[in-house]
Amino acid sequence: MIRIFESAGRPFVAFVEEFGRILLLLISATAWLFRPPFRFRVVLKQMEFVGVKSITVVLITGAFTGMVLALQTYHGFRMFGGEGLVGSTLTLAITRELGPVFTALMVTGRAGSAMAAEIGTMKVTEQIDALYTMSVSPVQFLIMPRIVAGILMLPVLTVISDFIGIVGGYFVGVKLLNINSGIFMARIVEIVDLDDIFNGLIKSACFGLILALVGCYKGFYTTGGAEGVGKATTQSVVYASVAILISDYFLTSVMFR
Amino acid sequence: MSKLSVEAKVGFFVVIGILLLGYMSMKVGKFSFKRGSGQDISVFFDSASGLSKDVPVEIAGVEVGRVRKISLKNGKALVTLRINPDIKLRKDVKAAMRTRGILGDKYVELIPGSLAAPLIKAGEQIVQAAPVTDMNTLMNILGEVAMNVKKLTKSLANVFAGEKGEASLRSIMDNTNEMVEALNRTVQANNKDFSAIIANFTSFSERLKDIGDANSDDIRDIVANMRAASQRMESLVAGINDITAKINEGKGSIGKLVNDKETIDSLNRSLAALQNITDKINRGEGTIGKLINDEETVDNMNFALAGINDYIKKQDTFRTYFDYRGEYLFDSEETKSYVSLRIQPREDKYYLLQVIDDPRGRETVKDTTRTIDGVTTTEHKVKVDRDELKFSAQIAKRYYDLGLRGGIFESTGGVGIDYYFFKDRLTLSLEAFDFDPDRNAHLKFKADFKPVNHIYISSGFDDFISDEGRESFFIGAGISFADEDIKTFLSDIPIPMN
Amino acid sequence: MIKLVKVSKSFKGQKVLDNLDLIVEPEKINIIIGRSGSGKSVLLKHIIGLIRPDSGQIFVDGIDITKINEKTFNEMRKKFGMLFQEAALFDSMTVGENVAFPIKEHRHLSQKKVDEIVNEKLIQVGLTNVAHKMPSELSGGMKKRVGLARAIALDPEIILFDEPTTGLDPIMCSAINNLIVQTQEHTKATCIVISHDIESTFKIAHKVAMLYHGKIIEEGIPGEVKVSGNPVVRQFIEGRQIEQSPKQK
């Protein structure tokens, strides 16, 4: 009888334990943010890695998201002659949801996994121990810069993704489907609010925190050589993606009431 | 691309992001960035059904403001409108609720009044325009009209149609017939009398002829008199002619009276009356009329008034701010102080003069290395001139939520970019200065948050790409007062009276 | 001066160090030998504080490092340099940056000065013209040299070597051994080497200690240990199979 409870409870306990460890890591990274030495260059390097180098993938995802949205909503709105609403609908969808979420998922796949792999490799090849022996905190040197870069860069990427998505939607809607460009833009201006964009950006900052934190956590607690690194990388992507989608629901329910 | 430094790449990237955000917020938030300013006017509506906060207020289809508040007062809806500051409204402007589009979005339309009415002031109330017939009322009225028409036609039908109608019509005809016959009979019966009357008339005209012949001289006199009178009339006309010519030349006091509205009116009337007498006067009326009624004159006057208004407004937005801020640097565990004077001639522009007490002062770094028996010792000397004050002098321009600064930053050349959030309560700034080829530029990022007026807290990273280990996280706080605040403050201090 | 007193450590119920006592000779090359998996690396990581013991005390210059907090420990660690088994060079940095890393972290020097020190240290370990290379471009032996250059970059008082000759060919082995001796003579540092390479141990050690089943079972100058009466030590030295197989880590 006890065994049943035990086996049922173990995954739960493991989950709680893991969650606790992630939070502790976050707290420690936050504490290190305010303690000298301040590693702005390292942060900047990570900002380049997370932000600048993700630009291609974000541009492509953003553009096609906007384009396909225009195509899909056009067919729906045409049924009652509301083609003019395509622009505002896709802009709302992109700024509120798709821009932040897709950007975060793409960056998770590209940068989050790389974080887990890089830190994981450093862990199994004793590079993290080496940092300790040189009196350098790996949390400050490796994890804090990645989290800061995630929080700062995701909103920037999202802005770019939002913009390119709307441009893509405009291209399909106005150039290919012959929606009047004036009406297309006017509806966007009329219906979309500044808050829609800003709330999307706040969300994306949260996603940036999640993907960086999960990637770093998985890498930092890697064991078992090269195989362990591979496992950590996969897990970091899966966990971060799920966490992003779940947190998206709660953030949305708080913001867009 | 590969030759760019990491700093440049990230900086470029972030700037692109901010520009896109700025562009989108300008597009989307078309009017919302001005939400803070403008004048409030209010209007009572019988019903504000379907109206909500922030819906547009339009004149001729152009958005000029937003609905700010809807409340209930004396059983009517009191709607407060916030009108953009550049819109001038007259006192007799009227407001109406309108519906747009198939989805039935409501908005408020303002119907401008006459140009002659005085300008409206903030906080004043305007009236509701005659309720526009919406579909419902229109249908109701049409229904009533149809009812009336129906009644009318029904009674008409009653009158003309049916036996009764026919009977009465026939009786009218009969009556007429009878009357004509009676007249006929009367004429025939009195034939004799008529002949006598005609004979009388003939004899009367003969007698009249006789009188005429006898008094033909008298009649000639009368004609002569009439001729003399008409000659006098002619000289009178000439006199008037003379006067009008003089008016035309601007002589006499009449010229001075031209500006008086009553004079103009009576003159107008006089001229209109005289128009038929002479062509000259006719021309004169045209000239004066032109002066008074010409559209261009009115426009010129209005333009001049607008210019004066602008000037007064400019005086109004001129502000001077005094500001103190302190920053605690975690790295050196010391406080850096700034005292600034900000002169703001317009809302979107200011000049900043600043004196800075930097605890780190100006640093000179010197390394001496000695190698004795393979052991290397390094002496690290830092010379600091702590007493030296730094100063800044910058010019700043603001575009919507984005501000750009340039000039002297802490005694070196530099540029800065600011982004304003939440009605300017939060400001994010990035400054770059001290461009020295031997070391990295001084970059500073800060976030200022102003929870209440006059006081703000600040946090950021100073010199964060320093290659001399001077990067530091900092927190700080400051107070800021405008000249007006100081005036108020001073006037609130009780002055002892002897 | 480094002294370990009754240090015990278990991993998942398995005792790796068992009431271990050890005195390290200052300014000498101390070599700890033992079979693979006997806990030598664990012992070394205790000394530099990467692992904390379950019980016991570890004194470095009279301070019990098991009692001090992380911040004090970070100060303490500046006295140490450590060469890891696989060198543990930072993959993302060039060789030069790797060696410069501890210098930049702990000393505020100009870039020019840092470069000078890096060059000096690389020459000291017999390397030239590698500063711009990435660690992945180097052979195992070269990596270890760079690792050593990084370990001695801050002129530490104590240098730890984690199996410096493992995985190297015999020529490279003796080159590294020579390097250890040279470095020790040059810097007068206290060296602690863990190894299972008997031949080189007796060649370079000033003091040898043998770890077996979580305890030091023999210690002394190489001459003494060579003629030890302890059967386990004899078997290890002579390379014969020990009847009772050692516990796995």
Side-chain angles (χ1 to χ4, degrees), chain A residues 33-34 36-41 44-53 55 80 85 91 95 152-153 156-164 166 185 187-195 197-198 201-202, chain B residues 1 5-7 9-10 13-14 16-18 20-21 23-30 32-33 35 54 66 100-103 105 330-331 401 419-422 440 459 461-466 471-473:
Chain A
L33 178 64
F34 301 107
F38 303 107
R39 304 177 184 279
F40 294 107
R41 274 209 75 95
L44 220 55
K45 273 234 166 81
Q46 286 304 320
M47 282 166 76
E48 187 206 7
F49 177 72
V50 176
V52 180
K53 294 194 171 164
I55 189 73
F80 62 91
L85 287 169
T91 305
T95 54
L152 293 183
M153 285 296 99
V156 180
L157 285 169
T158 303
V159 165
I160 294 172
S161 164
D162 284 356
F163 182 78
I164 205 77
I166 296 167
M185 287 313 292
R187 287 285 179 200
I188 293 178
V189 171
E190 184 187 326
I191 292 178
V192 179
D193 231 349
L194 212 53
D195 282 353
I197 298 174
F198 278 125
L201 295 188
I202 293 169
Chain B
M1 207 51 189
S5 67
V6 180
E7 290 90 341
K9 276 194 226 171
V10 174
F13 179 71
V14 171
I16 286 182
I18 289 176
L20 287 182
L21 179 65
Y23 175 76
M24 287 199 290
S25 50
M26 252 157 66
K27 275 266 170 195
V28 167
K30 215 165 103 189
S32 56
F33 58 84
R35 227 176 265 168
D54 275 344
R66 295 269 171 125
R100 173 172 33 213
I102 191 168
L103 301 174
D105 293 335
F330 278 80
D331 196 35
D401 288 345
Y419 200 89
Y420 299 92
F421 291 93
F422 309 120
N440 283 341
S459 176
F461 298 104
D462 193 17
D463 208 357
F464 58 81
I465 57 163
S466 168
E471 58 267 57
S472 176
F473 177 72

Side-chain angles (χ1 to χ4, degrees), chain C residues 155-169:
Chain C
D155 306 309
E157 296 166 25
I158 303 153
I159 309 173
L160 309 181
F161 297 83
D162 190 356
E163 311 217 357
T165 53
T166 303
L168 299 179
D169 62 72

Side-chain angles (χ1 to χ4, degrees), chain C residues 33-46:
Chain C
I33 53 172
R35 294 202 53 177
S36 297
S38 58
K40 299 191 299 287
S41 284
V42 173
L43 176 59
L44 203 63
K45 284 178 179 173
H46 270 88

Side-chain angles (χ1 to χ4, degrees), chain C residues 1-52:
Chain C
M1 227 274 291
I2 300 170
K3 197 168 92 180
L4 282 74
V5 181
K6 297 202 178 309
V7 173
S8 295
K9 181 72 184 178
S10 305
F11 288 110
K12 290 182 179 167
Q14 194 157 21
K15 266 219 154 104
V16 179
L17 301 181
D18 181 14
N19 277 329
L20 180 140
D21 291 307
L22 177 69
I23 296 171
V24 175
E25 288 283 319
E27 299 185 15
K28 291 274 156 48
I29 298 176
N30 298 265
I31 300 190
I32 298 159
I33 53 172
R35 294 202 53 177
S36 297
S38 58
K40 299 191 299 287
S41 284
V42 173
L43 176 59
L44 203 63
K45 284 178 179 173
H46 270 88
I47 294 172
I48 200 167
L50 288 176
I51 301 174
R52 300 231 169 182

Side-chain angles (χ1 to χ4, degrees), chain B residues 4 23 73 85 88 104 119 146 151 185 194 199 236 254 260 269 272 301 321 363 367 384 416 425 434 438 451 453 475:
Chain B
L4 281 176
Y23 175 76
K73 201 174 173 189
K88 298 276 167 282
L119 287 177
K151 268 185 203 162
R185 277 199 302 275
F194 269 109
L236 178 71
I254 291 174
D260 186 33
R269 280 198 299 277
M301 294 278 275
Y321 294 91
E363 282 186 6
D367 285 328
V384 182
R425 287 232 180 269
D434 195 6
D438 293 340
N453 284 339
I475 58 168

Side-chain angles (χ1 to χ4, degrees), chain C residues 87-118:
Chain C
L89 298 178
F90 301 125
D91 304 319
S92 54
M93 303 179 192
T94 65
V95 166
E97 285 167 347
N98 260 291
V99 180
F101 185 77
I103 306 169
K104 281 191 170 173
E105 276 304 315
H106 299 300
R107 290 193 188 160
H108 289 294
L109 296 178
S110 67
Q111 186 62 43
K112 209 178 132 204
K113 190 75 203 77
V114 172
D115 289 344
E116 272 171 34
I117 298 176
V118 169

Side-chain angles (χ1 to χ4, degrees), chain A residues 151-217:
Chain A
I151 293 172
L152 293 183
M153 285 296 99
L154 260 284
V156 180
L157 285 169
T158 303
V159 165
I160 294 172
S161 164
D162 284 356
F163 182 78
I164 205 77
I166 296 167
V167 170
Y170 180 89
F171 174 75
V172 170
V174 173
K175 301 287 170 199
L176 300 186
L177 301 173
N178 288 322
I179 302 172
N180 180 289
S181 66
I183 291 175
F184 191 92
M185 287 313 292
R187 287 285 179 200
I188 293 178
V189 171
E190 184 187 326
I191 292 178
V192 179
D193 231 349
L194 212 53
D195 282 353
D196 293 319
I197 298 174
F198 278 125
N199 284 343
L201 295 188
I202 293 169
K203 271 206 231 176
S204 71
C206 296
F207 298 159
L209 167 72
I210 290 171
L211 76 89
L213 185 60
V214 172
C216 291
Y217 165 78

Side-chain angles (χ1 to χ4, degrees), chain B residues 146-378:
Chain B
M147 278 302 240
N148 289 341
V149 172
K150 203 174 167 191
K151 268 185 203 162
L152 186 72
T153 47
K154 201 173 167 188
S155 52
L156 270 178
N158 279 343
V159 170
F160 294 115
E163 283 175 31
K164 214 176 167 184
E166 226 170 295
S168 52
L169 271 177
R170 194 162 296 142
S171 77
I172 290 169
M173 300 286 274
D174 289 350
N175 285 342
T176 315
N177 250 355
E178 266 174 41
M179 195 182 82
V180 172
E181 269 170 31
L183 201 64
N184 217 4
R185 277 199 302 275
T186 313
V187 171
Q188 278 172 359
N190 298 310
N191 215 359
K192 254 189 203 165
D193 296 346
F194 269 109
S195 299
I197 288 169
I198 288 166
N200 281 345
F201 260 114
T202 311
S203 75
F204 174 73
S205 70
E206 268 170 15
R207 293 257 298 273
L208 203 62
K209 199 178 170 254
D210 289 349
I211 293 166
D213 288 344
N215 301 302
S216 70
D217 281 353
D218 290 351
I219 289 169
R220 205 165 290 132
D221 275 358
I222 289 167
V223 171
N225 279 347
M226 281 180 85
R227 194 169 292 146
S230 82
Q231 266 167 359
R232 250 182 258 129
M233 198 102 125
E234 228 161 67
S235 78
L236 178 71
V237 167
I240 292 170
N241 210 354
D242 196 43
I243 292 166
T244 50
K246 274 180 185 164
I247 291 174
N248 261 353
E249 288 161 26
K251 278 180 188 165
S253 55
I254 291 174
K256 287 170 195 161
L257 285 169
V258 162
N259 283 333
D260 186 33
K261 196 172 165 18
E262 229 178 272
T263 320
I264 292 162
D265 283 349
S266 50
L267 206 61
N268 253 345
R269 280 198 299 277
S270 317
L271 291 176
L274 289 171
Q275 188 180 10
N276 292 328
I277 304 174
T278 64
D279 289 349
K280 250 192 181 172
I281 288 176
N282 196 15
R283 276 204 297 283
E285 194 250 6
T287 320
I288 294 172
K290 202 173 185 186
L291 223 157
I292 298 158
N293 290 324
D294 191 39
E295 286 280 322
E296 209 178 331
T297 319
V298 177
D299 282 354
N300 282 344
M301 294 278 275
N302 272 345
F303 188 71
L305 283 173
I308 292 166
N309 262 349
D310 262 8
Y311 179 74
I312 292 166
K313 217 175 116 193
K314 206 179 262 180
Q315 289 299 311
D316 218 31
T317 55
F318 193 97
R319 293 261 190 289
T320 315
Y321 294 91
F322 302 95
D323 182 301
Y324 168 80
R325 78 183 265 133
E327 288 173 0
Y328 177 78
L329 300 163
F330 278 80
D331 196 35
S332 53
E333 300 184 348
E334 276 169 315
T335 308
K336 192 172 173 183
S337 305
Y338 302 74
V339 178
S340 23
L341 174 66
R342 198 172 92 200
I343 302 161
Q344 185 172 315
R346 284 211 310 268
E347 258 182 85
D348 61 343
K349 191 176 172 183
Y350 67 84
Y351 304 96
L352 182 75
L353 297 171
Q354 204 170 46
V355 179
I356 300 134
D357 177 25
D358 189 345
R360 295 186 293 195
R362 224 165 252 249
E363 282 186 6
T364 344
V365 184
K366 208 173 181 183
D367 285 328
T368 0
T369 313
R370 272 171 301 183
T371 312
I372 305 160
D373 299 336
V375 182
T376 311
T377 48
T378 305

